[in-house]
Amino acid sequence: FLLVDDVSIFSTVEVPNVAATSDNISIYPNPAKEEATLSFNLSDKSDVQVQIIDGLGRVMNMVANEKMDAGAHTFTINTSSLASGVYNVMIHTDGGTSTERLTVIK
């Protein structure tokens, strides 16, 4: 028989650095009726995916899915086909994910 007492197990969990490569995110007008403008800066060249997500986690619109250079980027989001409500604009980059809220009114 083997009896072990006072055993301690340690583990580390790494949390990815969120928004490591995108900053200065703005969406205007917010709330939006027919369209909104999304602008953000990338500190490094990155694969970028911009999605509009509803409250149930469904992708309602893919705004961008491309490799982008460092610098300022601006996109027009067509909100005319979206129902009134609150959506998440998710910006996925190689360095992490940033989320901004977008409210749509009709």
Side-chain angles (χ1 to χ4, degrees):
F1 292 99
L2 177 64
L3 180 61
V4 178
D5 194 14
D6 293 329
V7 174
S8 297
I9 299 174
F10 295 95
S11 177
T12 59
V13 176
E14 182 177 336
V15 177
N17 187 4
V18 176
T21 61
S22 62
D23 59 3
N24 298 325
I25 301 168
S26 69
I27 301 174
Y28 56 90
N30 197 3
K33 203 168 203 175
E34 296 297 319
E35 67 181 26
T37 301
L38 167 68
S39 59
F40 59 91
N41 291 315
L42 292 176
S43 58
D44 299 308
K45 186 174 187 173
S46 178
D47 288 318
V48 177
Q49 191 177 66
V50 179
Q51 300 172 319
I52 309 300
I53 310 292
D54 72 2
L56 298 175
R58 297 177 296 192
V59 176
M60 304 305 292
N61 190 353
M62 179 73 72
V63 178
N65 187 13
E66 59 192 81
K67 186 115 175 136
M68 295 183 193
D69 291 327
H73 299 275
T74 302
F75 294 94
T76 299
I77 301 170
N78 183 350
T79 60
S80 62
S81 64
L82 299 175
S84 294
V86 178
Y87 297 86
N88 288 316
V89 178
M90 299 188 76
I91 303 170
H92 304 282
T93 67
D94 293 341
T97 301
S98 297
T99 303
E100 288 292 320
R101 299 250 186 224
L102 169 63
T103 302
V104 175
I105 56 173
K106 297 294 175 175

